[in-house]
Amino acid sequence: MKIRCYIPNILLTILLVFVLLATLLTAFVRTQVLNADSFRTITEQEQLDEKAYKSLETYFKTRANSTGIPAEVFMDAIPQPALKEGINASVAQAFDYLSGKTETYEFTMDFTLLEESVTQFFSDYAAEHNVVKDKVYEEKVASVIAEAEAEILFVADTFKMSMMHEKGWLGSARHYLTYLLFAQAACLIVLGILLILLLLCNLRQMSHMLYWCGTAGLTASLLLLAPCVYVTQTDYFAGFAIKDPQIFAAVVGFLELLVSRAQSMAILVLVISVVCLVLFGIIRAVSGRRGNALEQETE
């Protein structure tokens, strides 16, 4: 290859590495990080509904010692499947807000059974102890229901979408989500332009496109794969200082899922790049043999 073609190919390949990385990362954020299905996968994988149920059971049993209200009054009205629906609903409602389907985010659940259960308990208690159902009585019932609902929402909001909304993080993500789409489109356009320029530089030797693209893909995949392997091998996220086992399982499980999928994406690009380089080597070898055969025939 002539030096005037070699240098442009190197420069274009270096640019291609970084643009390919940017394209992969923007696509990864849109399809994996900002994807409600990824959170649902963690809910299933880490059995977050079971952890949430146990957490609530412990809370209401502890509260029963001071309030005198049996934990069953609350737990029978909030079965584990309902908690699972609540966890998924907190994520779904957050993504509806992020995507612009709703203008506000406010995580809610259906507490009809809970309200009926608490109301019935107080009603039975009032009948048994001749308690007058006056304004004070009604306020007490409402207060107990409100406290129970707040705790259930807090526990069911495993991924802390409400906290992120209160801190303004969801609002910021909603604002920049549009820019992410434009960034991905820009990366794809620049990627296409670089590939066209590489093609123009190698019109006389089209097989060299395989070499330069394979080299760029190999480099980009290794740059992406290296931190993933490090995090996986060192069990990096296990050192996070999160006391609540439910939140720890949710956060660490989600991060490990993202690392695993990023690693799979890097390996896929790596395999494709190696295939390109192998094909280049085969084509080069075949061309070399044909050239030698022609020389021998000429002699």
Side-chain angles (χ1 to χ4, degrees), residues 101-115:
K101 292 181 180 179
T102 58
E103 291 303 317
T104 58
Y105 170 74
E106 185 177 356
F107 173 44
T108 58
M109 291 174 60
D110 183 4
F111 290 114
T112 303
L113 290 178
L114 176 69
E115 292 170 1

Side-chain angles (χ1 to χ4, degrees), residues 53 56-57 60-61 69-83 110-118 121 152:
Y53 188 84
L56 280 176
E57 191 173 40
F60 285 121
K61 282 183 178 180
I69 305 175
E72 292 75 17
V73 173
F74 305 98
M75 299 309 299
D76 290 347
I78 303 293
Q80 191 170 315
L83 273 178
D110 183 4
F111 290 114
T112 303
L113 290 178
L114 176 69
E115 292 170 1
E116 291 176 354
S117 179
V118 173
F121 169 79
I152 293 168

Side-chain angles (χ1 to χ4, degrees), residues 12-268:
L12 288 172
T13 301
I14 293 173
L15 290 174
L16 188 61
V17 170
F18 293 104
V19 173
L20 181 58
L21 264 177
T23 303
L24 291 173
L25 290 174
T26 52
F28 183 78
V29 171
R30 288 195 67 235
T31 61
Q32 302 300 326
V33 180
L34 299 177
N35 188 339
D37 288 335
S38 297
F39 292 87
R40 294 191 189 99
T41 298
I42 294 303
T43 300
E44 293 283 351
Q45 182 178 301
E46 300 294 333
Q47 297 180 320
L48 297 182
D49 54 322
E50 182 178 336
K51 290 180 172 65
Y53 188 84
K54 289 181 179 178
S55 176
L56 280 176
E57 191 173 40
T58 301
Y59 171 81
F60 285 121
K61 282 183 178 180
T62 302
R63 289 277 293 171
N65 296 328
S66 58
T67 62
I69 305 175
E72 292 75 17
V73 173
F74 305 98
M75 299 309 299
D76 290 347
I78 303 293
Q80 191 170 315
L83 273 178
K84 184 176 182 179
E85 290 178 9
I87 293 171
N88 290 331
S90 72
V91 174
Q93 290 170 22
F95 277 91
D96 284 345
Y97 172 71
L98 287 173
S99 62
K101 292 181 180 179
T102 58
E103 291 303 317
T104 58
Y105 170 74
E106 185 177 356
F107 173 44
T108 58
M109 291 174 60
D110 183 4
F111 290 114
T112 303
L113 290 178
L114 176 69
E115 292 170 1
E116 291 176 354
S117 179
V118 173
T119 302
Q120 186 62 49
F121 169 79
F122 272 93
S123 181
D124 293 343
Y125 181 87
E128 184 178 348
H129 295 84
N130 298 317
V131 176
V132 180
K133 294 183 178 181
D134 54 8
K135 185 178 180 181
V136 175
Y137 168 87
E138 297 295 339
E139 288 178 352
K140 179 62 178 179
V141 174
S143 174
V144 170
I145 291 174
E147 289 178 9
E149 290 179 355
E151 181 63 23
I152 293 168
L153 287 174
F154 178 80
V155 173
D157 187 18
T158 305
F159 296 100
K160 299 308 167 193
M161 295 297 180
S162 296
M163 182 200 73
M164 288 191 281
H165 181 257
E166 290 171 3
K167 290 183 177 294
W169 298 347
L170 283 186
S172 298
R174 174 186 167 105
H175 175 72
Y176 289 110
L177 199 58
T178 304
Y179 295 105
L180 179 63
L181 179 61
F182 288 135
Q184 185 180 9
C187 288
L188 289 171
I189 292 171
V190 175
L191 186 66
I193 292 173
L194 290 176
L195 290 174
I196 292 172
L197 291 175
L198 267 177
L199 180 64
L200 293 175
C201 288
N202 297 280
L203 281 176
R204 294 183 180 181
Q205 294 177 304
M206 295 293 291
S207 61
H208 284 190
M209 272 289 290
L210 291 171
Y211 172 77
W212 295 113
C213 289
T215 301
L218 182 65
T219 305
S221 63
L222 290 176
L223 288 174
L224 182 59
L225 190 60
C228 293
V229 172
Y230 171 78
V231 169
T232 302
Q233 293 302 314
T234 59
D235 200 12
Y236 182 79
F237 300 126
F240 279 18
I242 302 176
K243 295 181 180 180
D244 191 315
Q246 179 190 350
I247 298 176
F248 179 87
V251 173
V252 173
F254 182 65
L255 292 175
E256 288 179 345
L257 177 68
L258 294 182
V259 170
S260 175
R261 291 182 175 179
Q263 186 169 290
S264 298
M265 183 176 67
I267 292 173
L268 177 61

